[in-house]
Every structure is written in structure tokens, then in C-alpha cells.
Amino acid sequence: NISLLFASSFLLLATAEQLCPETVQGATWAFHHGQDERVEGLSSLDECAAKCRGDSMCEGYTWQDHDVISSCYLFISLTRLHDCPTCVSGTVPHYKNNTVCDVRVHKKLDESVEDSSADCRDSCNKVEKCQAFTYFEEDSSLPNTCMKFDGCSSIRDCLHCSTASSTCISAPQCYQHYTITEDTRNINIKSQHTVYYYDELGRKDTSPQWKGEGYYRFLAPSGIVIPEEDPRHHACGTQYTFYVNGKHPEDIGVETEVDFRSSANHNWKGTITKCNDYYVYYLPEVKHHGRYCASMQFKN
């Protein structure tokens, strides 16, 4: 199941606390003929990524895996990230040897000891607002030191140092999430005399499409959003109905923290991300005999 594969991949990234994702499954960028390049003859995602890393003009790559033939695309500029179910895409840092970010211009966010420049890059990705890093090699003045910065438009000479900037992929959850289509979740389904379902794993009556805490998108016939009003008890195929206690975000790509409240006044923290013309929700498990409702509109 492609959607589950995407979601599990994102959860691995989330476990690593990667604040600057550099890969995304299920999406690619707009391809500009005459500028971007399609490369034939490669046999794997790793080869495609390596091809991009070896090209100083390449900002990102996409590996599209077809049943008959696979393709590698190299991008000079990254614009209009959009759905592509058979694609895996990524950005690559380009290293500038014998340079260091200028601390007179840029704020140093963190400093650590790392075994390699690749480990330094991974460390930068886990530091909030880190956009660039400098790695001091073993024979430098600060052996194996990794400095992380909030940017690096200005550099200085530094013997046996290497500097690179990270290009983050915004809101990868827009393409890596579980999908829910259960018609029993709709606010118009009253369940007082039918089977109850709950968004909690390990139960006999767990909702069929509930996979545990994670990112979810709702699709018809469930509905397309979680409502902003309480549908009341015994709706949505459950005992206690959960809804958004607040407003959905209006800005695309922004992940906003919200409260999900039940008809019994239980509260759980989660998030909502606006993704072009749809929303993705980060939903915790419900421990109080409840379930997230879905609707075709915000208000009942």
C-alpha cells in the first residue's frame, strides 16, 4: 500500500527529529525542458542522488520507479512541489572546500563533534533553524568540529574545512501520510444502535483504517476535513466524537498546533497542515472511547 509506505517513511524521519527534511516520497518538482535534465541508464535511487551530488548545478533529484523502466530527473531549480505517487525526491548540499561560515554575519546555533561531514549535515538537520554548517576535518585547527548556522551567504577562508547549506523540503507530510475514507466517520452517521469504532490500537473495535498516531488525510466518503463544531455523542460511528477546537490554518505549508476536543470535553494536542487544496492532520491516539469525525465542511 503506497500511502502506508509513505507514512511509515515519514514517521522514521520524525523519530530522528529531522527538522530540515531533505527527502520526500510521493512528490516531485516542476520539470523545465531545456534547463532540467532526464538521465537514462541509472538503476537505483542511490545512483540518481549521486548523479545530482556530482553536478554543481543540481539542486535536487527525483527517482521515478515504473514497472517497466525507471527514470532519474535532475533539477537546476526547485519550484512547485506536487504529487507524484511513484516518485522519491531529494535535495543535495554542495560543499565549498576550505571555507567556513562567517560568524561576524551569521549566528552560530550549535557546535558538536562529529565523525564526518555527512554526520555534521545530519546533526544540522536536527537543530531548529539550522540552514548551513561547516565541518572541520581531522587535520584542521578544530578537528572533527561541526558548527551549525542560521545561514551562510558570507564565507571566509578556512584550511581543511568544508561548508554547505541545507535545502529543506517544506511540509513533507502533505505527501507522506495515511488516508482515511471510512464512511462511518461522517458526522451524519448516527451510531446509537450500531457498532462503535475507536481510534486506539489494540482493541477489537479499533477503526479499520486507524494506524496509530501519525499524519492523516481524510477523503470521501468520510469527508474531507475534521469539523470545527461538536457533532455530539453517538455520531461518526463512535461514542465520543472528536473535533477541532479552533480554526484551520489559512497559509499553505504551515503546520499549526491545535486542540482536538471530544463531546465529553477530553482534549488532545495535534496539528493541522494546509496543503494546497486539502488538509493533513497529525492525530494522537484517542484514549477515551472516541474517534475523529469527518465532514465535507468546517461547520456542521
Side-chain angles (χ1 to χ4, degrees):
N1 186 306
I2 289 176
S3 65
L4 298 190
L5 173 63
F6 295 167
S8 61
S9 298
F10 182 82
L11 294 179
L12 288 175
L13 292 177
T15 300
E17 296 180 343
Q18 189 174 38
L19 299 179
C20 177
E22 294 178 329
T23 59
V24 61
Q25 298 191 38
T28 187
W29 294 279
F31 186 84
H32 301 95
H33 293 279
Q35 172 181 299
D36 302 322
E37 180 182 4
R38 178 179 177 180
V39 180
E40 303 293 347
L42 303 183
S43 59
S44 70
L45 169 63
D46 289 342
E47 288 185 10
C48 183
K51 187 74 173 177
C52 184
R53 285 193 295 268
D55 183 342
S56 62
M57 297 294 291
C58 183
E59 293 293 327
Y61 61 89
T62 289
W63 176 254
Q64 189 169 24
D65 194 2
H66 294 295
D67 292 335
V68 178
I69 187 172
S70 298
S71 300
C72 175
Y73 298 89
L74 306 183
F75 298 88
I76 302 301
S77 62
L78 305 178
T79 60
R80 201 172 64 80
L81 190 68
H82 60 275
D83 289 324
C84 178
T86 57
C87 293
V88 180
S89 301
T91 62
V92 297
H94 290 291
Y95 292 87
K96 298 177 181 178
N97 294 326
N98 297 315
T99 64
V100 62
C101 291
D102 192 341
V103 294
R104 299 171 302 180
V105 178
H106 301 287
K107 180 181 179 181
K108 186 172 73 170
L109 302 173
D110 185 55
E111 182 177 315
S112 61
V113 175
E114 306 292 345
D115 291 333
S116 67
S117 58
D119 290 338
C120 183
R121 179 190 68 193
D122 292 341
S123 180
C124 174
N125 287 345
K126 298 174 186 178
V127 174
E128 187 174 3
K129 297 183 179 179
C130 183
Q131 296 292 315
F133 56 91
T134 295
Y135 183 69
F136 293 76
E137 299 164 9
E138 286 190 6
D139 48 359
S140 69
S141 58
L142 297 170
N144 303 112
T145 298
C146 173
M147 293 184 181
K148 300 109 180 178
F149 300 88
D150 61 356
C152 196
S153 59
S154 177
I155 56 176
R156 303 175 66 187
D157 292 337
C158 177
L159 189 62
H160 303 303
C161 307
S162 57
T163 296
S165 296
S166 297
T167 302
C168 307
I169 297 176
S170 62
Q173 64 267 30
C174 289
Y175 311 97
Q176 298 173 173
H177 50 254
Y178 299 111
T179 57
I180 289 179
T181 59
E182 298 158 336
D183 59 356
T184 55
R185 283 186 187 270
N186 192 276
I187 60 172
N188 295 318
I189 299 297
K190 304 300 180 182
S191 51
Q192 194 162 4
H193 302 292
T194 61
V195 176
Y196 286 141
Y197 291 107
Y198 304 106
D199 289 338
E200 182 180 359
L201 295 179
R203 305 176 57 117
K204 292 181 180 179
D205 46 11
T206 297
S207 300
Q209 294 180 337
W210 181 252
K211 306 301 178 184
E213 181 171 339
Y215 286 103
Y216 289 85
R217 178 183 176 185
F218 292 87
L219 297 171
S222 288
I224 57 174
V225 296
I226 296 178
E228 295 175 355
E229 291 181 347
D230 183 4
R232 304 301 177 187
H233 293 346
H234 308 298
C236 314
T238 194
Q239 184 174 357
Y240 297 127
T241 55
F242 275 78
Y243 61 98
V244 175
N245 183 31
K247 299 291 185 182
H248 284 66
E250 297 181 356
D251 296 328
I252 292 176
V254 174
E255 185 171 14
T256 302
E257 185 176 277
V258 296
D259 285 327
F260 294 104
R261 177 173 292 179
S262 79
S263 52
N265 291 323
H266 299 121
N267 286 287
W268 296 98
K269 292 287 186 183
T271 69
I272 306 175
T273 306
K274 181 173 173 58
C275 308
N276 294 323
D277 58 349
Y278 59 94
Y279 294 91
V280 169
Y281 303 85
Y282 190 84
L283 303 177
E285 286 225 320
V286 172
K287 303 295 184 181
H288 297 289
H289 304 291
R291 193 186 198 199
Y292 296 99
C293 288
S295 177
M296 295 303 294
Q297 54 197 17
F298 297 140
K299 302 296 182 181
N300 303 337

